[in-house]
Amino acid sequence: MPSKLSIHEKTRRSYLVILAVLSVGLYMNTCLNGFVLDDNAAIVGNKIVTRGVTAIPEIFSTPYHQGFNSYSHGLYRPLASSLFAIEYQIGGGNAFPLHLINVLLFAADVLLLFFLLQALFGPSKMTQSFVAALLFALLPIHTEVVANIKSQDELLCFFFSFLSLLVLMKYAASGKITMLVAGLVFLSLALLSKETAVVFLGINAVLFFGFFPHKRNRSVAILIGTMLMISFFIFLRFHVLNAYGAGEIGNVSIGQNSLAGIPSFWSREATAIFMAGKYLWLMLFPVGLVCDYSFNSIPPTSFSDLSVLLSLLVYLIILGIGIYRLFHFRKDWLAFAALFFLISFALFANVFFLVGATMAERFMFFPSVGWCMAAALLVCRVPSIRQSEGAVFKNATFLAIFFPLTIIYGSLTILRNTDWKDANTLFAHDVQLQPNNYRLHQYLGFSLISSSFTEDDSITRTQTYKEAIQQFKISIAIFPETDATPYRAIGVSYINLRQFDSAGKYLEQSLARESKDTLVRNNLAGVFFARGDYQKSIEMCRINIDSFPDYQQGYVNMGASYLKLGKYDSAKMVLSKAVSLAPDDKKAQYFLSVAREYSGK
């Protein structure tokens, strides 16, 4: 007859197998998807990352996305970028291995969560640990994190953060310094993956002072170590970013976060609280998930809105439960679940300060752990489930709750994964759900332009450009205060349609918003050339050359205009410069030969 211990271990192993199979199975269809959204800036369009393993030293000394058009936006995630570089070198630019690693990392996160909860709850509450991990694996709101390759930073941060927590708990129990050092090293790796790990300063304080009060000295050591690791990360981050002019904390723009455009403080807070309630709703009822919530997906509201008051009430109840039960019950994990949720969500709530996005489903990846913990603890208080430890799959109540939930949430997750197939599929789908989102229309416009590059049929290509132009115009109508981006895109699209008057109009509006845009000036020079206004084309090229003396394309276009005006000596002079800057430029060589021929040499 098997011993109680062997039954316990057998159940534990069966739980681990179920969690692993479910986690992988739900997201395996993402491996058929390509690169989309921020994958371009983080991976395939990043000149540093695509150099592979040799670029890792540079990655650690440059801002996140620095290799994407030298774009520095105040983020520092070198561990995630290093993993991208390794994967890109191994996969040769193929998206499949990167998606597969995302799936495996997610499965590892789910299993690690199970191990951590077992350590927290104790061996007698294995069912609670399993149910919480099961819910975490099932939540469709996590599709953005797993389906978007770029979110490996989130998956890595989660893994190392919870591994740190697990190891630090071992230190609190044993007092072994090696455990303390290892736990803090894992926390450092989490911080280098994504800044989200800073919330563990608050989480560690609550856990080790609230739930390990008899280990006061060890709790103090953990908190001091946590503060030192976070302080060192902030120092390192500032040092790297400051070298690229990205270290200063600037104002958040409306384009980044629509709340920045709400002048009334109370209206801004009410809208943020409304969004906080929307997060809870999407965790429970994950219908209508979208990849972006920019202006004007969620219009401003006020405290007269009942949904705002309801959201505020729910969060106050969660806070009240957390604080009350923390101080009135010994090791009450429901209190920890509530406080974990609030602490990890506070970083993204937009209530205390504005972050660089209005709202994002990936922001729920960490906080949802608290929700799953609370749900598992409450569900497992049902007497029939509580008494079925080790045999929940034979329990009618458990099956009545989780079988339909698994089918519904699993189906929604798998279907949502297909939306992430490619840029056109994702944006065309999501813009139908968020027709007032200015950025989704821009995203769709750019994806249409990209798809036109591989289109052989001229009629289809023309129609695609027209559809892209329409998307950009809708974006401008929604958000007239937008930057130069949609105007520039419309202008370039009209050039491809050979509608030069319209192209000139939008390129000039783009230049009015971004006066130092070299490419726009170059395109305008081309438009003037096509319209026969060669003198204006020369003037535009000269501005570019004055600003950037080695701008080779400016010399080529200026030389072409001089040829049209019959000024062959001038053409010869600027085209000689163009050839000296780019000896292999066939176009410049041809124009120079024409200039020499007509100048008598």
Side-chain angles (χ1 to χ4, degrees):
M1 184 175 180
S3 67
K4 185 176 181 180
L5 179 62
S6 64
I7 293 174
H8 178 89
E9 184 59 29
K10 185 177 179 180
T11 302
R12 183 169 176 268
R13 289 181 181 180
S14 66
Y15 283 165
L16 289 171
V17 170
I18 291 167
L19 292 172
V21 171
L22 184 67
S23 301
V24 172
L26 286 173
Y27 288 99
M28 272 306 292
N29 65 332
T30 62
C31 294
L32 302 174
N33 298 348
F35 295 103
V36 69
L37 211 60
D38 290 342
D39 292 345
N40 188 39
I43 309 164
V44 289
N46 193 304
K47 294 178 181 178
I48 298 177
V49 169
T50 51
R51 291 200 342 250
V53 177
T54 58
I56 290 177
E58 185 176 358
I59 286 172
F60 271 82
S61 61
T62 54
Y64 193 54
H65 292 178
Q66 178 64 25
F68 181 68
N69 298 328
S70 298
Y71 178 49
S72 301
H73 56 11
L75 298 176
Y76 182 62
R77 300 171 186 173
L79 194 61
S81 292
S82 296
L83 182 57
F84 291 144
I86 295 169
E87 294 166 351
Y88 189 88
Q89 181 165 324
I90 294 172
N94 187 347
F96 173 81
L98 284 84
H99 278 297
L100 180 60
I101 289 173
N102 262 33
V103 174
L104 296 177
L105 276 174
F106 177 69
D109 287 348
V110 172
L111 296 178
L112 180 60
L113 178 61
F114 175 74
F115 285 125
L116 175 67
L117 295 180
Q118 269 214 284
L120 287 174
F121 298 160
S124 64
K125 293 186 177 180
M126 187 165 55
T127 299
Q128 286 89 329
S129 304
F130 170 69
V131 170
L134 176 67
L135 286 171
F136 184 81
L138 285 173
L139 288 180
I141 200 171
H142 293 160
T143 49
E144 178 186 357
V145 171
V146 188
N148 189 192
I149 297 172
K150 169 265 163 197
S151 288
Q152 256 179 48
D153 53 9
E154 198 85 52
L155 293 164
L156 276 177
C157 181
F158 186 100
F159 182 82
F160 286 119
S161 295
F162 282 83
L163 185 58
S164 169
L165 204 59
L166 184 60
V167 174
L168 290 175
M169 285 180 61
K170 291 182 181 296
Y171 164 71
S174 67
K176 293 182 179 179
I177 297 299
T178 53
M179 291 291 101
L180 174 63
V181 173
L184 295 177
V185 168
F186 289 134
L187 178 60
S188 298
L189 294 176
L191 289 163
L192 292 171
S193 300
K194 192 174 182 182
E195 302 86 345
T196 306
V198 298
V199 300
F200 279 82
L201 178 60
I203 291 169
N204 286 354
V206 169
L207 177 61
F208 293 105
F209 282 93
F211 293 83
F212 294 87
H214 55 293
K215 309 289 186 182
R216 184 70 60 184
N217 292 339
R218 296 173 190 175
S219 298
V220 169
I222 290 171
L223 191 61
I224 291 175
T226 301
M227 293 173 66
L228 288 174
M229 291 300 102
I230 292 175
S231 299
F232 177 73
F233 169 74
I234 292 172
F235 170 79
L236 178 63
R237 176 181 178 275
F238 176 80
H239 176 74
V240 172
L241 296 182
N242 197 51
Y244 289 85
E248 296 181 5
I249 300 176
N251 293 326
V252 177
S253 67
I254 304 175
Q256 294 173 300
N257 189 330
S258 62
L259 293 172
I262 303 176
S264 166
F265 170 80
W266 294 111
S267 178
R268 185 166 64 246
E269 292 298 296
T271 308
I273 292 169
F274 171 82
M275 290 189 297
K278 187 174 178 66
Y279 279 121
L280 295 176
W281 180 264
L282 288 175
M283 277 199 294
L284 287 169
F285 305 100
V287 179
L289 300 177
V290 294
C291 64
D292 185 271
Y293 290 86
S294 297
F295 185 93
N296 191 30
S297 296
I298 302 174
T301 187
S302 67
F303 282 101
S304 62
D305 187 340
L306 289 178
S307 57
V308 173
L309 297 177
L310 180 60
S311 176
L312 179 60
L313 178 62
V314 170
Y315 274 87
L316 288 175
I317 290 173
I318 294 172
L319 178 62
I321 289 173
I323 293 175
Y324 176 78
R325 297 184 71 91
L326 178 67
F327 289 103
H328 285 77
F329 299 96
R330 184 175 180 272
K331 281 200 171 184
D332 184 82
W333 295 114
L334 190 61
F336 180 70
L339 294 174
F340 183 98
F341 174 81
L342 292 174
I343 292 170
S344 55
F345 178 62
L347 191 64
F348 309 108
N350 279 311
V351 172
F352 309 105
F353 52 85
L354 295 184
V355 297
T358 309
M359 182 175 173
E361 290 157 16
R362 64 183 179 276
F363 291 165
M364 277 291 103
F365 197 62
F366 274 76
S368 64
V369 170
W371 184 90
C372 293
M373 287 172 61
L377 291 167
L378 292 174
V379 166
C380 290
R381 287 185 178 183
V382 176
S384 61
I385 296 178
R386 187 174 66 244
Q387 295 166 7
S388 63
E389 181 71 39
V392 289
F393 295 109
K394 297 179 181 179
N395 183 280
T397 306
F398 179 88
L399 292 175
I401 296 172
F402 284 95
F403 182 75
L405 191 68
T406 301
I407 298 299
I408 295 170
Y409 276 13
S411 299
L412 289 173
T413 295
I414 292 170
L415 287 173
R416 178 57 179 164
N417 291 339
T418 62
D419 295 334
W420 287 82
K421 175 185 176 183
D422 53 43
N424 273 358
T425 303
L426 178 64
F427 302 138
H429 173 272
D430 287 8
V431 80
Q432 298 299 317
L433 299 174
Q434 294 281 2
N436 293 322
N437 184 316
Y438 93 99
R439 184 168 282 169
L440 278 177
H441 286 286
Q442 283 193 28
Y443 285 157
L444 180 55
F446 281 117
S447 68
L448 288 168
I449 290 174
S450 295
S451 65
S452 71
F453 297 155
T454 57
E455 182 57 60
D456 295 328
D457 182 67
S458 60
I459 296 176
T460 303
R461 188 165 57 249
T462 296
Q463 185 59 36
T464 301
Y465 274 116
K466 289 180 178 179
E467 290 176 9
I469 289 170
Q470 182 62 23
Q471 293 300 323
F472 289 122
K473 287 183 176 179
I474 293 173
S475 175
I476 293 171
I478 294 171
F479 184 36
E481 295 81 11
T482 185
D483 59 14
T485 303
Y487 292 96
R488 179 173 60 244
I490 293 173
V492 173
S493 297
Y494 274 129
I495 289 176
N496 285 287
L497 293 174
R498 304 193 66 77
Q499 297 180 24
F500 298 112
D501 288 340
S502 296
K505 170 187 170 184
Y506 280 94
L507 288 174
E508 285 173 345
Q509 291 185 68
S510 174
L511 204 58
R513 287 163 172 78
E514 181 50 73
S515 61
K516 296 181 180 180
D517 194 322
T518 306
L519 292 176
V520 169
R521 285 198 295 250
N522 189 60
N523 283 322
L524 261 178
V527 167
F528 291 139
F529 183 91
R531 286 160 50 178
D533 197 340
Y534 306 118
Q535 194 57 49
K536 274 193 174 182
S537 180
I538 290 169
E539 290 171 5
M540 194 59 62
C541 290
R542 184 170 286 115
I543 295 172
N544 266 350
I545 292 170
D546 289 343
S547 302
F548 303 96
D550 291 337
Y551 186 64
Q552 192 262 355
Q553 196 60 43
Y555 292 103
V556 176
N557 291 340
M558 182 183 286
S561 294
Y562 276 133
L563 285 175
K564 284 291 187 178
L565 291 173
K567 298 181 178 181
Y568 303 116
D569 288 335
S570 297
K572 186 172 60 175
M573 181 180 67
V574 297
L575 289 168
S576 296
K577 177 67 173 177
V579 171
S580 70
L581 290 171
D584 295 330
D585 189 332
K586 302 295 184 184
K587 185 177 181 181
Q589 291 175 0
Y590 172 74
F591 285 161
L592 179 57
S593 66
V594 172
R596 285 173 172 168
E597 179 182 352
Y598 280 91
S599 65
K601 296 182 181 179

